[in-house]
Amino acid sequence: MSLFNVYPLFDITPVKAKDVYVFDENNTKYLDLYGGHAVISIGHSHPKYVAAISEQVSKLGFYSNSIQNPLQKALAEKLVSFSSCKDYELFLCNSGAEANENALKLASFHNQKKKVIAFKNGFHGRTSAAVAATDNAKIIAPINAQQEVEILELGDLVALEKALAKNDVCAVIIECIQGVGGLDESNTDFYEGVDLLCKKYNTCFIADEVQSGFGRTGDFFAFQKYNVTPDIISIAKGMGNGFPIGGILIHKNIKASYGLLGTTFGGNHLASVASLTVLEVIEEENLMKNVKEISAYFLEKAKEISEIKNIKGRGLMLGLEFDFPIAELRKKLIFNQQIFTGSAKNPNLLRILPPLTIKKEHVNAFFNALKIELSC
């Protein structure tokens, strides 16, 4: 049986990885500045992470959510201490798309409305309502298009209030820094305005932190740069350092009831241990501080390259914008320089999403390689 051919693949087969490096079957070493779509937060094969998962699976790898799981409660408590989101409760699932799907469903349950407002170049997943809220017609099937979604320009508060005034919008979902769309971010007035308008019109404000959460931007969550209180916060990617886990933080003004949400695998013992270990390593190795320091260094180094026309993003969620498509440059970085980077909906943007353990020497290696390929 062949694989269903939906991914354009680079001809590289990783077989092992360590911290910021990935090794293929020929033992070629690649510098990983993409982290598998911002998933690798504490570095590949971190010894504490490997030990914690190994120990847990030797005792109990899985049981359903019909029993007590103290690991979930420990994770919820740890999240409060890290994020300062004290007035929230945690629901665990398996992925970012599932997190956003549950967030949208919960919002609709809460206020009994059904329309969703999202924003141009946003990406929220590939499942039913999440993909309908994603600004990419190519990945929205007719069955998804039945969802009532209005896509607005990022930053347009006038259009947002006009839409909300119809009183049929259950949720406004937004990435404070867009990931797949190309690292675009609006301003303080906009995000704080979204928060105020959602409260005014009894609409849930969903902060999609799937890619930007868990310290990637220098804050634990990207929305924390602003004075806003989302009703629901969706999380995934860097949450498990490669182990599939997602979740939503739900403000206590949204009440739980039995059967409202559910999952078989979400928050299982291995997933919970994986995420707990990620938080412990972030704390013990002071990775939030490292994000800010390396980000500042990266931005200074980027100024040395005249071909870079714009730098987008925050922390270690960055985009380098050129005045030409970067597809060939990205291939050269992979095959000539052995460096993984990412692309975006913006064809001129090179995405940088490394493990939070990255050091200045790795930044230097990247910019030296970039200078070589740009001079060819």
Side-chain angles (χ1 to χ4, degrees):
M1 182 184 294
S2 62
L3 298 176
F4 196 53
N5 190 17
V6 293
Y7 298 115
L9 302 177
F10 291 112
D11 190 16
I12 297 171
T13 306
V15 295
K16 63 180 180 179
K18 183 69 176 176
D19 194 22
V20 298
Y21 293 105
V22 172
F23 300 82
D24 69 12
E25 73 273 34
N26 301 313
N27 207 35
T28 302
K29 182 168 75 171
Y30 297 84
L31 176 60
D32 184 7
L33 298 187
Y34 192 56
H37 309 304
V39 166
I40 302 300
S41 48
I42 60 170
H44 294 278
S45 304
H46 191 287
K48 181 166 185 171
Y49 177 84
V50 172
I53 292 178
S54 299
E55 181 183 359
Q56 183 59 47
V57 77
S58 72
K59 296 187 295 186
L60 176 63
F62 171 82
Y63 204 78
S64 76
N65 284 302
S66 61
I67 45 80
Q68 296 288 330
N69 184 347
L71 292 168
Q72 292 186 2
K73 294 180 181 179
L75 178 55
E77 291 171 2
K78 198 80 171 173
L79 276 170
V80 168
S81 66
F82 265 79
S83 67
S84 300
C85 293
K86 297 178 181 179
D87 296 324
Y88 291 81
E89 297 175 323
L90 176 65
F91 175 80
L92 291 167
C93 54
N94 306 285
S95 69
E98 191 177 340
N100 283 330
E101 204 70 45
N102 279 291
L104 292 166
K105 179 180 179 180
L106 186 61
S108 186
F109 268 132
H110 176 64
N111 55 33
Q112 293 297 298
K113 303 176 188 180
K114 62 179 180 178
K115 187 176 179 180
V116 174
I117 298 293
F119 295 90
K120 188 174 180 180
N121 288 328
F123 185 95
H124 302 290
R126 293 178 180 270
T127 51
S128 180
V131 78
T134 291
D135 184 26
N136 185 349
K138 292 180 180 178
I139 64 172
I140 300 174
I143 193 170
N144 307 127
Q146 295 180 64
Q147 304 281 349
E148 292 188 33
V149 177
E150 185 173 358
I151 306 290
L152 302 180
E153 288 286 340
L154 187 68
D156 192 342
L157 285 175
V158 174
L160 178 60
E161 181 157 24
K162 184 178 179 181
L164 292 178
K166 297 174 184 177
N167 202 35
D168 60 352
V169 177
C170 72
V172 175
I173 186 168
I174 189 167
E175 302 163 277
C176 284
I177 302 176
Q178 294 183 332
V180 174
L183 285 300
D184 287 330
E185 184 174 11
S186 190
N187 54 39
T188 299
D189 288 344
F190 174 68
Y191 295 110
E192 294 182 0
V194 170
D195 188 46
L196 291 171
L197 287 173
C198 284
K199 288 174 173 58
K200 178 179 177 180
Y201 290 102
N202 186 30
T203 299
C204 288
F205 174 15
I206 301 172
D208 181 341
E209 295 278 351
V210 166
Q211 188 171 126
S212 55
F214 270 63
R216 178 154 294 278
T217 67
D219 298 303
F220 193 79
F221 290 127
F223 77 79
Q224 291 174 323
K225 181 181 177 182
Y226 310 106
N227 183 25
V228 299
T229 305
D231 296 286
I232 306 172
I233 305 159
S234 57
I235 51 179
K237 293 196 184 295
M239 185 178 183
N241 202 53
F243 199 100
I245 183 171
I248 50 177
L249 277 61
I250 306 156
H251 197 276
K252 289 183 179 179
N253 63 15
I254 300 175
K255 302 303 178 185
S257 62
Y258 291 149
L260 190 69
L261 301 176
T263 171
T264 296
F265 295 104
N268 66 70
H269 296 74
L270 285 177
S272 295
V273 161
S275 194
L276 274 167
T277 307
V278 166
L279 292 175
E280 289 168 4
V281 171
I282 288 174
E283 182 176 35
E284 290 168 4
E285 299 186 7
N286 210 358
L287 294 185
M288 297 277 286
K289 180 181 178 184
N290 190 61
V291 169
K292 293 178 180 179
E293 291 177 351
I294 297 300
S295 180
Y297 184 72
F298 187 99
L299 296 178
E300 286 300 313
K301 295 291 290 184
K303 292 176 183 176
E304 299 175 3
I305 299 181
S306 61
E307 290 89 346
I308 297 173
K309 303 305 178 185
N310 195 13
I311 306 169
K312 295 183 173 183
R314 284 189 266 140
L316 293 178
M317 185 177 178
L318 297 168
L320 302 179
E321 191 170 33
F322 298 84
D323 59 5
F324 57 84
I326 57 86
E328 285 303 312
L329 174 60
R330 188 177 173 219
K331 288 178 183 177
K332 290 177 180 178
L333 287 170
I334 294 174
F335 294 109
N336 297 346
Q337 304 295 331
Q338 289 74 54
I339 298 177
F340 290 168
T341 58
S343 59
K345 188 176 181 181
N346 177 349
N348 294 356
L349 192 91
L350 193 70
R351 274 202 294 169
I352 308 296
L353 303 166
L356 308 188
T357 55
I358 186 175
K359 300 291 186 285
K360 289 181 180 179
E361 64 194 74
H362 307 126
V363 175
N364 291 338
F366 167 68
F367 280 106
N368 289 338
L370 187 60
K371 288 175 183 177
I372 291 170
E373 293 306 328
L374 288 172
S375 66
C376 293

